[in-house]
Amino acid sequence: MAMEMKGKRVLVTGATNGIGKQAALELAKMGAEVVIVGRDEIKTRKVRDELQTLGGNSNIDLLVADLSSMDEVRRIADEFRAKYSRLDVLLNNAGAVFSQFQLSADGYEMTFALNHLSYYLLTHLLLDTITQTAQQEGEARIINVSSSAHRNATLRLGNLRDESGYSFMNSYGASKLMNVLFTFELARRLADTTVAVNAVHPGLVDTGFGHNTGRLWSPLIKVAQKLFAISPERGAETLVYLAAAAEVSGVSGKYWNEKEQKRSSDNSYDRQLQQQLWEFSAEATGVG
């Protein structure tokens, strides 16, 4: 099915490798004006050039930031708004797993800072642009990359600065639950607009993700990826589908896998949890 994105602007975080890079490429091939976000300037420029060549599309721009830092998120949001007045699709994809406990520049556990707070803050800082685009163009879309790892997770907002009992798998799962909770709460708050908000489980994808988890876990993750993982091309399919497909226009507040709506974990539908996370995030970032 051919999908057309000519003239539409898309912002993709975590776009220098894996499914983010692949989604940016596919959308560029469809004619979208793509802005990629990466942490390393040299690598991000290299990927920008590669996407321009492979996508046959010169309208690829870049922003460089460490999205675990709120100041960095604010800076690239300012840079985007200074340059562009239109944003049709925001694809929040940047994320990582951290084998050791780390604090972000703002004093929060790093998985929470990068995998959730960056989604929350960047989305809020660009929301006026997104909603204005939706008013002018009829719709806009926000896509939050989550994971099935959210299914066994619990939300513990009280220990995001505390190293005791740290488990990188628990922290990662909790951050992916936050992605779904945030998606559902934001979708409800935007229900009277034509901005659609959806969450995605891309599947176990064969990328470099999780290869920094130490001597015990890193080899196991690599073996699992080789045995069971899908390609980045396939992993990006649902992201591209939600960004571009006409048949999902107006569909919001859903959790997706393999281009189908799925039921997420029971606790992801807990309104109290959704609001609790929203209020915590609003206090942490000073927006919302």
Side-chain angles (χ1 to χ4, degrees):
M1 175 189 55
M3 292 183 282
E4 179 64 45
M5 291 291 286
K6 194 168 181 62
K8 294 187 176 182
R9 183 164 291 107
V10 180
L11 178 64
V12 184
T13 69
T16 56
N17 51 41
I19 59 173
K21 179 180 177 181
Q22 189 63 37
L25 174 59
E26 297 302 326
L27 293 165
K29 287 179 178 178
M30 295 174 192
E33 299 170 7
V34 181
V35 182
I36 63 171
V37 182
R39 185 178 56 184
D40 179 273
E41 183 169 0
I42 293 173
K43 183 176 182 179
T44 307
R45 289 189 180 280
K46 182 179 177 182
V47 169
R48 188 269 313 272
D49 296 345
E50 187 181 337
L51 294 177
Q52 287 178 335
T53 301
L54 294 176
N57 183 342
S58 61
N59 290 315
I60 314 288
D61 200 356
L62 62 88
L63 295 166
V64 178
D66 176 354
L67 296 178
S68 71
S69 162
M70 287 192 261
D71 282 348
E72 293 276 282
V73 174
R74 291 187 178 96
R75 176 178 56 76
I76 63 162
D78 287 343
E79 290 175 8
F80 183 92
R81 290 195 308 258
K83 197 167 186 180
Y84 301 112
S85 59
R86 174 174 180 168
L87 182 55
D88 298 87
V89 179
L90 172 60
L91 176 47
N92 287 309
N93 167 68
V97 57
F98 298 93
S99 58
Q100 302 295 322
F101 179 87
Q102 301 177 46
L103 288 176
S104 71
D106 305 288
Y108 289 101
E109 191 277 314
M110 188 67 83
T111 319
F112 168 75
L114 177 61
N115 294 12
H116 166 67
L117 272 190
S118 75
Y119 283 28
Y120 179 91
L121 181 56
L122 185 61
T123 300
H124 275 79
L125 295 175
L126 296 177
L127 200 53
D128 285 350
T129 304
I130 295 168
T131 52
Q132 183 179 340
T133 300
Q135 289 169 358
Q136 293 173 345
E137 306 298 329
E139 66 164 345
R141 305 179 184 188
I142 299 168
I143 303 157
N144 296 319
V145 176
S146 179
S147 166
S148 62
H150 85 276
R151 294 192 178 278
N152 298 316
T154 54
L155 197 65
R156 294 192 297 270
L157 296 174
N159 64 347
L160 292 172
R161 300 175 186 267
D162 182 8
E163 186 174 357
S164 62
Y166 177 76
S167 158
F168 77 85
M169 291 299 288
N170 290 344
S171 295
Y172 179 73
S175 73
K176 296 291 101 180
L177 173 59
M178 291 175 192
N179 296 156
V180 185
L181 292 165
F182 169 58
T183 296
F184 292 167
E185 180 68 19
L186 181 60
R188 186 162 44 250
R189 290 172 181 245
L190 294 175
D192 61 347
T193 74
T194 54
V195 179
V197 191
N198 289 284
V200 182
H201 166 51
L204 177 61
V205 184
D206 188 8
T207 68
F209 186 86
H211 291 185
N212 64 336
T213 49
R215 284 183 293 178
L216 173 62
W217 283 100
S218 183
L220 294 175
I221 291 172
K222 289 178 182 178
V223 168
Q225 286 175 336
K226 292 303 177 188
L227 290 175
F228 306 113
I230 59 177
S231 67
E233 289 81 4
R234 187 172 163 202
E237 282 181 0
T238 304
L239 280 62
V240 174
Y241 177 73
L242 289 173
E247 62 262 36
V248 296
S249 178
V251 179
S252 187
K254 305 298 181 184
Y255 176 79
W256 296 77
N257 179 27
E258 295 187 331
K259 297 192 280 193
E260 293 182 354
Q261 295 178 33
K262 304 288 187 179
R263 181 171 174 82
S264 51
S265 65
D266 287 346
N267 60 350
S268 70
Y269 295 98
D270 185 326
R271 291 282 296 273
Q272 188 173 349
L273 269 184
Q274 294 166 11
Q275 291 165 3
Q276 182 184 357
L277 176 63
W278 187 280
E279 290 164 7
F280 187 95
S281 306
E283 185 174 349
T285 61
V287 298

